[in-house]
Amino acid sequence: MTALGVVFRPQLPPERLRGMVRAADDAGLQELWLWEDCFLESGIATAAAALAWSERLRVGVGLLPVPLRNAALTTMEAATLHRLFPGRVMLGVGHGVQDWMGQVGARVASPLTLLREHLDAMRALLAGERVTTEGRYVRLDGVALDWPPASAPAVYAGARGPRSVRLTGEAADGTVLDASTTPDGVRRARQLVDEGRKAAGRPERPHPVVVYLHAATGPGAEARLRAELRRDGLDQTADLGVAGGAEAVAAAVRRLAEAGADTVVLQPTADEPDPEGFIRFVTDEVTPLVG
């Protein structure tokens, strides 16, 4: 069964989050996803608030940019959330937007090496191990968590290029694909992830794939979607995004699911006029059609 989520866009001010969380929890939304985009809102702070304001909602962060973060600190924050809200947290890490990383003096020469080292350290620490490593970027000397999660949680990683996608199969427990991914792109990503899992000797372990989908509904939906794709520099003739009613959105979700997505996260336009209403549209109208 395909899980459905919705993004809380950080173009909304942080004080809008509580209303969105309450709407999601009340409506029975499965997953609410957050972003740590520069220079909008923190992923960890918003995740902690969303989890505290809800009773059953699963909350994902996709993604935390690793150039901004020390691996030990990211893992401490992850462990704290997993201990406080077991079974409801999904955290993903990634390269970050390189221009933004350059703006804050955090851009590295080898983003792929950094992501691999960060993932290796995080997964070992969250599993309760004591870690000493002298990597190119991640250096830890006898570090162990005093309060690791009761069981090692999944660590997701986001990727776009083929080498990065393959790395998520090797070194992460799940993969997050952005909204520039078509159904054919999901199929190719699945192949690369499986290659990575096989290379790392972990082909039998489950590896969920999360993909974002541009979506717009209601008055002016088509125009808002096209404007969003133009702003993001995406090909408007490709099979990207969906505008329309529940049937059209559900059909787009099913295409991604058939291509290999385990979770489809609907990404409203930045100018969505009714974010809480969008959540109710997803839960009340789209979810029953997805199955």
Side-chain angles (χ1 to χ4, degrees):
M1 180 176 175
T2 307
L4 275 181
V6 171
V7 181
F8 172 81
R9 295 285 300 253
Q11 285 81 8
L12 293 171
E15 55 268 25
R16 288 292 301 275
L17 178 61
R18 186 168 189 162
M20 288 279 285
V21 169
R22 291 292 176 84
D25 218 33
D26 291 345
L29 183 70
Q30 293 167 292
E31 300 179 4
L32 183 72
W33 282 75
L34 308 165
W35 296 344
E36 187 165 84
D37 275 5
C38 297
F39 301 95
L40 295 165
E41 292 160 13
S42 157
I44 295 295
T46 50
L51 289 159
W53 286 329
S54 59
E55 297 295 329
R56 43 146 300 279
L57 185 65
R58 284 167 55 82
V59 175
V61 181
L63 299 162
L64 301 169
V66 295
L68 282 176
R69 298 180 149 273
N70 179 278
L73 176 60
T74 304
T75 311
M76 288 167 57
E77 292 176 324
T80 301
L81 289 178
H82 283 290
R83 295 273 304 214
L84 289 171
F85 308 100
R88 295 176 53 207
V89 185
M90 300 160 293
L91 295 182
V93 296
H95 298 308
V97 176
Q98 295 307 295
D99 286 347
W100 293 341
M101 300 303 100
Q103 280 183 271
V104 297
R107 190 166 185 166
V108 298
S110 178
L112 204 66
T113 300
L114 171 58
L115 183 57
R116 181 188 296 276
E117 291 180 359
H118 204 105
L119 284 166
D120 288 346
M122 276 191 75
R123 293 180 66 246
L125 289 167
L126 288 169
E129 299 177 20
R130 183 172 298 277
V131 179
T132 296
T133 183
E134 187 71 24
R136 182 173 178 181
Y137 301 108
V138 175
R139 299 177 180 87
L140 301 173
D141 183 8
V143 174
L145 295 174
D146 285 331
W147 296 105
S151 59
V155 178
Y156 291 75
R160 180 180 288 179
R163 289 200 303 158
S164 295
V165 174
R166 192 178 190 276
L167 172 62
T168 68
E170 292 180 32
D173 303 301
T175 299
V176 180
L177 303 172
D178 69 17
S180 68
T181 311
T182 64
D184 283 344
V186 173
R187 291 185 185 91
R188 178 57 179 153
R190 267 291 184 193
Q191 294 173 351
L192 292 165
V193 165
D194 288 344
E195 289 174 11
R197 293 166 70 201
K198 184 177 181 180
R202 46 202 297 238
E204 304 305 320
R205 298 188 63 172
H207 189 104
V209 170
V210 179
V211 60
Y212 290 103
L213 172 64
H214 286 289
T217 192
E222 184 71 29
R224 286 189 286 110
L225 175 65
R226 294 303 155 198
E228 181 101 344
L229 294 176
R230 281 195 299 273
R231 282 193 297 270
D232 290 350
L234 297 175
D235 183 358
Q236 298 189 53
T237 64
D239 191 9
L240 289 174
V242 57
E247 290 280 0
V249 175
V253 169
R254 288 194 296 268
R255 286 193 292 273
L256 290 169
E258 289 162 3
D262 298 288
T263 296
V264 178
V265 183
L266 297 174
Q267 179 176 317
T269 59
D271 59 354
E272 164 60 49
D274 182 9
E276 292 84 0
F278 185 84
I279 286 175
R280 291 188 290 272
F281 164 73
V282 172
T283 57
D284 297 348
E285 300 182 45
V286 178
T287 299
L289 299 176
V290 172

